Amino acid sequence: MSVTRTGEPEAPVGPDPHRWWALVIIALAQLMVVLDATIVNIALPSAQRDLGISDGNRQWVITAYTLAFGGLLLLGGRVADLVGRKRTFVIGLIGFALASGLGGAATTSGMLFGARALQGAFAALLAPSALSLLTTTFTDPKERGKAFGIYGALAGSGAAIGFIVGGLLTEYLDWRWCLYVNIPIAVVAVFGAFGLLNDRPGHKNVRLDVPGAVLGCGGLVAIVYGFSEAEPRGWTDPLVLGLLAGGVALLVVFVWWQSRAPSPLLPLHIVKDRNRAGCFLTMGLAVIGMFGVFLFMTYYLQVVLRYSPLKTGLAFLPLTVAIIIGSTQISARLLPRVAPRMLMVPGMILAAGGMLFFTQLTVDSDYAGELLPGLLLLGLGMGLTFMPVFATATAGVAPQDAGVTSATVNTSQQVGGSIGTALLNTIATTSSTAYIAAHLRDPAQKALVVREGTVHGYTVAIWWAAGIMLLAGLVAGLMVTAKAPRHAPTGAAVPESVG
């Protein structure tokens, strides 16, 4: 049932005769947003070579998207309330397609980074409006459960589809097609939206918290930029320290403003609940490690082991399958019977255990014996954690807070990915540079030493990621004290992406 701006239920209406076709359009848009996270990972080594992107700056291809997406997601939900869900959905689709075309045509690294940020901004409009349209299109509880199941399956499988499609497009066409592919998908979805989606007009008295969006986004960008500048400048450089301190200060002011804003982006009572705050923090920390693995393993497989883009995409499939199994076959079955932290803590320990396999990588590691076990453990651990995080974070919230709570979980996911990618990439490149400088004595051995130094940098960063995973498990164990839910979760909260 949908709600009005006052939190009261809207009058029920008869079922939309085109609702299942509408689900196809909504799911297509959701798939595009989810797929875009992993499809670009596979293309990244090729794009880096083509545009001459430095190792220190390559993470901006990922973080520009996740920062804009996560930082503007809450504002995007408010925009949908103001101008109407269908209109916001269509604007998001068109903008995402145009930004994808700009990124595909990029001739410089800055142009690609800017296009990725635009993609993230329009994804922040698209994702909450899609979820809201799904909620208002399916009013029957049984049908809604089935619709959310399909929507959630796409969120889970989107990463796998992205890896395979990214590999195919990069290998047989060009890395630019990993961005161009969004254009035909968006065109189909726009025409479908006009013909199949119904929605009420927006609420004219909804107020946008623009200062909150500027403060929150500005603080996150400053912190991520500070992490990225630490690689060439060093951690004690005045600019790096200034960026990190300024970013923290902006986030402190953001929290202060949220307590006084007439229509806050993030009502503070949402995060004052111990269980919810624990879930948000656990998700943010967990995703730091997972995004780091996506970045480093992509480069390790393609640059060090010389895998083709397609073979790299297929090599990631066990990870995605394990996430889906852990989430749907283990967590979903156990959550009605056990406390959420009894899944989240073992999940993070399993994921950290998977990371330990990756810390032993060498320039000629064996996939089946050394990589595959780590991918499976990491996937099962993340799957065990994702389901109870979303179910617990959104349990028992007031109807008028359901949307912002779900968006906050997704925001913590995207922000964790942004900060983690920047931090771990800086640790990896700094460690690689130091290793090469210390071991390069014979110029004839330069190629081998560079490869060994590159892998050394990855393993150092993955040690950090494993520690952060264990910290996520500690947070879940100490903060998430909720008991087992009486009923199985209905899927009302679905992640925007798992990768």
Side-chain angles (χ1 to χ4, degrees):
M1 181 180 294
S2 57
V3 296
T4 67
R5 59 187 179 275
T6 62
E8 297 299 322
E10 290 177 350
V13 294
D16 183 348
H18 303 300
R19 59 193 179 282
W20 293 107
W21 282 109
L23 173 62
V24 172
I25 299 304
I26 295 168
L28 197 61
Q30 167 69 7
L31 178 63
M32 185 174 68
V33 172
V34 173
L35 183 143
D36 218 66
T38 52
I39 195 173
V40 173
N41 264 285
I42 300 298
L44 191 49
S46 300
Q48 183 179 0
R49 286 193 302 270
D50 199 8
L51 299 180
I53 303 171
S54 70
D55 285 347
N57 285 333
R58 67 189 174 194
Q59 51 89 12
W60 283 107
V61 179
I62 308 299
T63 53
Y65 178 80
T66 53
L67 259 180
F69 190 5
L72 297 174
L73 192 56
L74 292 168
L75 186 66
R78 292 286 190 186
V79 171
D81 289 337
L82 176 64
V83 304
R85 304 175 188 104
K86 178 178 175 179
R87 187 178 297 173
T88 306
F89 184 77
V90 171
I91 292 169
L93 283 169
I94 294 171
F96 198 91
L98 292 174
S100 298
L102 182 66
T107 54
T108 65
S109 58
M111 188 174 172
L112 179 58
F113 300 157
R116 289 288 286 163
L118 275 176
Q119 277 188 308
F122 284 109
L125 289 177
L126 190 56
S129 56
L131 197 56
S132 298
L133 283 166
L134 187 67
T135 303
T136 54
T137 299
F138 290 89
T139 53
D140 179 81
K142 290 182 180 178
E143 288 191 347
R144 179 180 289 192
K146 188 183 294 185
F148 269 106
I150 296 169
Y151 189 81
L154 279 173
S157 60
I161 297 170
F163 284 131
I164 297 172
V165 173
L168 285 168
L169 293 174
T170 303
E171 187 162 344
Y172 294 111
L173 289 173
D174 186 73
W175 68 265
R176 298 175 184 278
W177 280 96
C178 292
L179 293 161
Y180 288 146
V181 71
N182 293 318
I183 298 174
I185 297 175
V187 169
V188 171
V190 166
F191 280 107
F194 280 122
L196 297 168
L197 297 182
N198 297 311
D199 187 36
R200 295 174 177 82
H203 302 302
K204 299 297 183 186
N205 63 340
V206 171
R207 303 170 80 176
L208 299 180
D209 183 15
V210 176
V214 172
L215 288 168
C217 251
L220 293 171
V221 169
I223 289 172
V224 170
Y225 188 44
F227 284 149
S228 67
E229 285 297 301
E231 187 266 325
R233 296 173 178 270
W235 289 99
T236 57
D237 182 84
L239 176 64
V240 173
L241 294 175
L243 285 167
L244 295 177
V248 171
L250 284 173
L251 293 181
V252 169
V253 177
F254 168 78
V255 173
W256 170 84
W257 172 250
Q258 293 307 285
S259 67
R260 288 158 177 77
S263 298
L265 275 182
L266 178 59
L268 293 185
H269 69 267
I270 297 289
V271 294
K272 284 181 180 176
D273 178 87
R274 175 175 179 161
N275 287 298
R276 251 177 245 125
C279 286
F280 298 152
L281 194 51
T282 300
M283 174 61 84
L285 291 169
V287 171
I288 286 176
M290 192 173 74
F291 270 64
V293 167
F294 283 165
L295 179 66
F296 300 134
M297 294 306 293
T298 296
Y299 275 87
Y300 177 76
L301 291 169
Q302 290 193 48
V303 176
V304 178
L305 296 188
R306 310 292 186 191
Y307 279 25
S308 69
L310 178 57
K311 190 176 179 182
T312 300
L314 293 173
F316 273 110
L317 274 185
L319 171 70
T320 308
V321 171
I323 290 175
I324 295 171
I325 291 172
S327 181
T328 62
Q329 301 305 310
I330 302 176
S331 274
R333 295 173 186 271
L334 292 179
L335 188 56
R337 299 176 179 84
V338 301
R341 65 178 171 182
M342 297 303 292
L343 295 169
M344 294 160 66
V345 174
M348 288 294 90
I349 293 173
L350 269 179
M355 294 287 209
L356 293 181
F357 276 90
F358 303 140
T359 62
Q360 307 305 309
L361 294 177
T362 65
V363 293
D364 54 3
S365 290
D366 174 61
Y367 176 81
E370 298 173 71
L371 290 171
L372 183 58
L375 290 169
L376 291 173
L377 282 175
L378 176 63
L380 282 173
M382 297 305 290
L384 280 173
T385 305
F386 277 143
M387 180 72 174
V389 162
F390 273 89
T392 307
T394 55
V397 298
Q400 63 268 27
D401 291 332
V404 71
T405 304
S406 181
T408 304
V409 189
N410 288 311
T411 297
S412 67
Q413 188 179 5
Q414 300 298 331
V415 168
S418 304
I419 293 175
T421 302
L423 174 63
L424 295 175
N425 185 67
T426 293
I427 291 171
T429 49
T430 304
S431 301
S432 294
T433 302
Y435 181 96
I436 293 167
H439 291 79
L440 186 57
R441 299 182 182 89
D442 181 2
Q445 298 292 316
K446 181 177 181 181
L448 176 61
V449 172
V450 168
R451 290 178 72 208
E452 289 176 342
T454 300
V455 175
H456 173 76
Y458 296 163
T459 57
V460 170
I462 290 171
W463 272 112
W464 279 84
I468 293 169
M469 287 280 194
L470 291 176
L471 179 60
L474 182 63
V475 167
L478 294 177
M479 293 186 66
V480 183
T481 57
K483 302 202 181 327
R486 295 180 181 178
H487 305 289
T490 60
V494 183
E496 299 302 342
S497 79
V498 298

